[in-house]
Amino acid sequence: MSTQTESQLDFGKLMDRMETARQEVVEERPAIVGGRFTHSQLDAFLAARRVQWDQMPWRIWEHVSAIDFADEPASPDLLQRADIFGPSGHLSLRRDGDRWLWHFIGAVQPNVPPEFNPSDFWKRHSDTMLRRYEESVILWGQEVRIDKDDPKTGIGLWQDDRVGAARLAYPQMSGNLRVYLHYWRYTEAGQTAFVWYRGLGDEQGVKSWPK
């Protein structure tokens, strides 16, 4: 398998893929739910969602000074954002002062207790028509090698170097390949309305690389 570096990326091909991204009218509506809860309810909210996590294996926890791919947040008190995603759905959380704002888009309607203030998008927008695009983006950065002079044993982690002082290392993978984020983008009247992260992988699709 040949290696792929920044200079070998075919940007013309990438642009063609963006222009010809598969578009379809969504016939089976995805579940779309959102709400809010207090910071003290964070542990209870995550515990209630863990029943779906076997189909949402990718979890990104954005703390004040680190961005981690891990099963659980390292420091819940310092957590600012989170994205938990996979083939069954995408749960996104964002801290807003002493409360959390959340939304979920996925294949199955989540069972969310009322204390987390769930609101079903389709109950308020029953006539909305969404179109879906299947797309992917490259996650930029540099590969941090164990041995920079050895192309085989020196393979390390891809690390994004555009996040300031925060640490961001992508999951371990085999082979010297760029990391791609694959997602579905939903639009309404030509405007992006929702995004469902599907997983990480190579140019061809999502891979089940160990974390």
Side-chain angles (χ1 to χ4, degrees):
M1 179 173 60
S2 62
T3 60
Q4 185 181 40
T5 65
E6 289 183 28
S7 61
Q8 294 171 319
L9 291 173
D10 188 339
F11 285 98
K13 181 179 179 181
L14 293 176
M15 290 299 296
D16 289 341
R17 288 180 59 191
M18 292 176 62
E19 293 295 333
T20 59
R22 185 166 63 86
Q23 171 189 344
E24 58 185 292
V25 176
V26 180
E27 296 181 356
E28 294 185 2
R29 290 177 168 180
I32 303 175
V33 184
R36 64 188 184 280
F37 55 86
T38 65
H39 181 63
S40 62
Q41 294 176 292
L42 177 61
D43 288 343
F45 180 82
L46 293 178
R49 305 273 59 77
R50 286 189 180 97
V51 295
Q52 286 185 280
W53 282 15
D54 59 336
Q55 291 298 311
M56 299 168 66
W58 303 101
R59 297 158 206 160
I60 307 175
W61 311 99
E62 182 178 336
H63 298 83
V64 172
S65 61
I67 304 173
D68 297 324
F69 287 84
D71 288 337
E72 302 287 345
S75 303
D77 287 342
L78 300 179
L79 192 64
Q80 300 296 307
R81 297 182 65 96
D83 285 287
I84 303 165
F85 56 95
S88 72
H90 177 186
L91 172 64
S92 180
L93 299 98
R94 177 174 63 86
R95 188 167 182 174
D96 179 32
D98 195 38
R99 66 175 183 172
W100 283 91
L101 306 178
W102 66 272
H103 70 265
F104 172 85
I105 178 170
V108 180
Q109 183 78 11
N111 182 18
V112 182
E115 58 264 31
F116 302 121
N117 300 288
S119 177
D120 190 331
F121 171 81
W122 296 113
K123 288 184 178 180
R124 296 187 177 184
H125 307 277
S126 59
D127 296 331
T128 297
M129 183 180 69
L130 298 179
R131 293 182 179 272
R132 188 178 75 192
Y133 295 79
E134 184 174 343
E135 299 179 347
S136 60
V137 293
I138 303 174
L139 302 183
W140 290 106
Q142 61 180 346
E143 186 186 23
V144 181
R145 288 177 172 269
I146 300 171
D147 184 350
K148 295 182 179 179
D149 298 324
D150 191 330
K152 293 183 179 180
T153 62
I155 294 175
L157 288 175
W158 282 99
Q159 178 175 308
D160 196 317
D161 51 3
R162 302 177 306 160
V163 290
R167 181 186 71 252
L168 173 55
Y170 302 131
Q172 184 72 46
M173 66 193 72
S174 60
N176 182 16
L177 293 174
R178 283 292 186 191
V179 185
Y180 285 73
L181 171 66
H182 299 275
Y183 61 95
W184 285 345
R185 181 168 62 92
Y186 294 84
T187 67
E188 178 188 1
Q191 300 295 318
T192 298
F194 303 100
V195 174
W196 175 351
Y197 291 177
R198 303 284 295 171
L200 302 182
D202 59 15
E203 184 179 4
Q204 303 303 317
V206 175
K207 300 293 184 182
S208 297
W209 282 318
K211 301 176 182 178

